[in-house]
Amino acid sequence: MDILTKRPRGTEDKLPKEIYKWHTVEKIAADTAEAYGCKEIRTPTFEHTELFQRGVGSTTDVVQKEMYTFDDKKGRSITLKPEGTAGVVRAAIENGLFNDALPLKTYYFTRCFRYEAPQSGRLREFNQFGVEVFGAPSAASDAEVIALANDVINRLGVKNISLEINSIGCPTCREEYHKALIEYYGKYKDKLCDTCLERLEKNPMRLLDCKSEICGSLKSDAPKMLDYLCDECKEHFESVKRRLDALEIAYTVNPLIVRGLDYYTNTVFEFISNEIGSQGAVCAGGRYNGLVEEIGGSPLAGLGFAMGLERIIMVMDNQKLDFAQEKGCDLYIASFDEETNIYAMTLAKKLRSQGFWVEFDTAGRSFKAQMKYANKINATYCMVIGSDELANGSAKLKRMSDGEELPVKLDDGFANRLNTLIMDISL
Ligand code: ATP
Ligand code: MG
């Protein structure tokens, strides 16, 4: 029986009483992205498994261990999306979006699915806000995408988030670096975890990302990509830094941030909180100049980021930030019998069409119980419709905060009167 009333491990219910937090974050994120010229894109919740094997990379934790993959009834392998980028690239290629004016700038909200060990800040179904920009190879775009993420965080009022950046160069300058990594880690082969041992030859940069204790402790002395950058990649990174300086966005260079796949290039970055335990990365992103081609399009520069919304909201909760509270019910109309209830219903319909939040009794409650309910839903005003009110076309509006009563005519001017009263209160 439990299985009917318990959600699957690693999932969360976002309940009505806290949904205003999500609305606030989503609105601020969307408004900010649009101020940068991004347009929303919505892609399917599931894609062909091959897309993620290509687009995320078959040597990544996500693809090797974390995907929700199943065969559909025709035996096609389907995967619930573990991240947003691959689907956006696929959709852009399929719908010819790269043939329009470039850069193409997109943003999205998506649920992601990863079979991970659930813990605080780590879920099996979670939500991301993401931005992807295509056709903008200049360092200006790296800085702009970082600035966008930074703006969202600032507009939310979140404090104490640090920005760490790195450059992982291009496939050419990375070749030498890979050799150096293989040589360095090769000396510790007997200590490496199985996963790292297996990745050492195929994808040595991944080892810098390993969270196991032993491999983790080897990171700090490992060779650094920054020492291997070619002139062009070095200049790109310097330009990104100059631009962040000009925008007064503080950052530290962390040579241990990697992406570890050939199609990721140049800038990588993370925004990190140290207030929500070990799952502190609230946003991660970077440039992926090789990805569009990898997925089957013509070569095209790309970059973006994804922000973990559960983690951002955890930080906001932790910092006790004022989420914009959603407004309360404007008016509750109490009634006594079918006739007055029908009148309440038609009045509610009229006022709702003018934008008010209006409620009346749909539960067949007593008058007393209706008033109790009006209190519970925090109604700003309450109005009683009895047979006298019906006969006279007038009623009394009761302000719930102090009980003050105001006589009102229930004519066409009522909505305006209600509006003025509500505005007066909110001032
Ligand atoms: P981590 O190192 O924490 O596993 P990641 O490198 O797997 O993160 P990305 O794939 O870059 O994360 O995803 C971008 C963002 O999505 C992360 O910075 C984080 O805020 C959020 N995120 C990733 N995985 C989860 C998860 N399992 N539950 C909740 N949020 C997540
Ligand atoms: Mg992860």
Side-chain angles (χ1 to χ4, degrees), residues 61-62 66 82-83 112 114 116-117 119 121-128 206 209 211 259 270-271 278-285 305-312:
D61 275 355
V62 170
E66 299 171 359
E83 55 91 60
C112 298
R114 296 186 192 178
E116 303 200 63
Q119 50 196 292
R122 194 174 291 289
L123 295 156
R124 288 181 175 171
E125 179 183 8
F126 61 98
N127 288 271
Q128 283 184 346
R206 273 276 133 199
D209 217 12
K211 293 184 177 88
R259 276 287 185 271
E270 276 183 15
F271 287 86
S278 50
Q279 323 309 328
V282 293
C283 176
F305 67 78
M307 194 175 279
L309 296 185
E310 280 81 1
R311 291 188 193 175
I312 272 283

Side-chain angles (χ1 to χ4, degrees), residues 14 36 47 95 288 346 393:
K14 315 297 191 222
Y36 280 79
E47 298 271 0
N95 296 285
Y288 45 77
T346 53

Side-chain angles (χ1 to χ4, degrees), residues 53-233:
Q53 286 168 341
R54 274 298 180 95
V56 182
S58 54
T59 54
T60 57
D61 275 355
V62 170
V63 170
Q64 287 186 331
K65 306 178 193 166
E66 299 171 359
M67 293 208 303
Y68 277 89
T69 298
F70 58 94
D71 285 349
D72 71 7
K73 290 185 196 299
K74 282 259 167 78
R76 286 171 291 236
S77 184
I78 293 293
T79 294
L80 301 183
K81 64 176 150 179
E83 55 91 60
T85 310
V88 171
V89 174
R90 197 266 314 134
I93 297 172
E94 185 168 352
N95 296 285
L97 304 189
F98 297 143
N99 305 329
D100 293 340
L102 294 176
L104 170 70
K105 304 190 204 178
T106 62
Y107 74 91
Y108 56 81
F109 296 95
T110 186
R111 290 161 187 256
C112 298
F113 305 87
R114 296 186 192 178
Y115 196 82
E116 303 200 63
Q119 50 196 292
S120 171
R122 194 174 291 289
L123 295 156
R124 288 181 175 171
E125 179 183 8
F126 61 98
N127 288 271
Q128 283 184 346
F129 161 67
V131 165
E132 315 291 349
V133 173
F134 302 93
S138 149
S141 192
D142 304 54
E144 177 149 275
V145 164
I146 292 173
L148 200 174
N150 190 63
D151 265 6
V152 172
I153 290 166
N154 284 341
R155 286 198 204 180
L156 290 171
V158 177
K159 302 273 178 322
N160 305 329
I161 301 282
S162 53
L163 166 63
E164 300 189 351
I165 63 171
N166 190 24
S167 172
I168 54 171
C170 63
T172 315
C173 55
R174 225 178 286 149
E175 238 171 71
E176 278 306 305
Y177 179 56
H178 278 180
K179 280 186 206 149
L181 277 179
I182 292 171
E183 191 185 321
Y184 170 78
Y185 279 108
K187 289 185 291 194
Y188 303 99
K189 266 190 178 160
D190 50 332
K191 291 190 177 164
L192 296 178
C193 73
D194 290 347
T195 319
C196 284
L197 204 52
E198 195 189 310
R199 287 170 184 166
L200 181 56
E201 298 291 331
K202 271 194 275 180
N203 192 355
M205 236 155 69
R206 273 276 133 199
L207 273 66
L208 294 173
D209 217 12
C210 180
K211 293 184 177 88
S212 87
E213 210 176 303
I214 302 248
C215 307
S217 70
L218 294 172
K219 276 189 235 189
S220 51
D221 290 333
K224 307 288 181 290
M225 182 67 224
L226 290 177
D227 299 327
Y228 291 79
L229 293 182
C230 64
D231 287 348
E232 206 179 310
C233 290

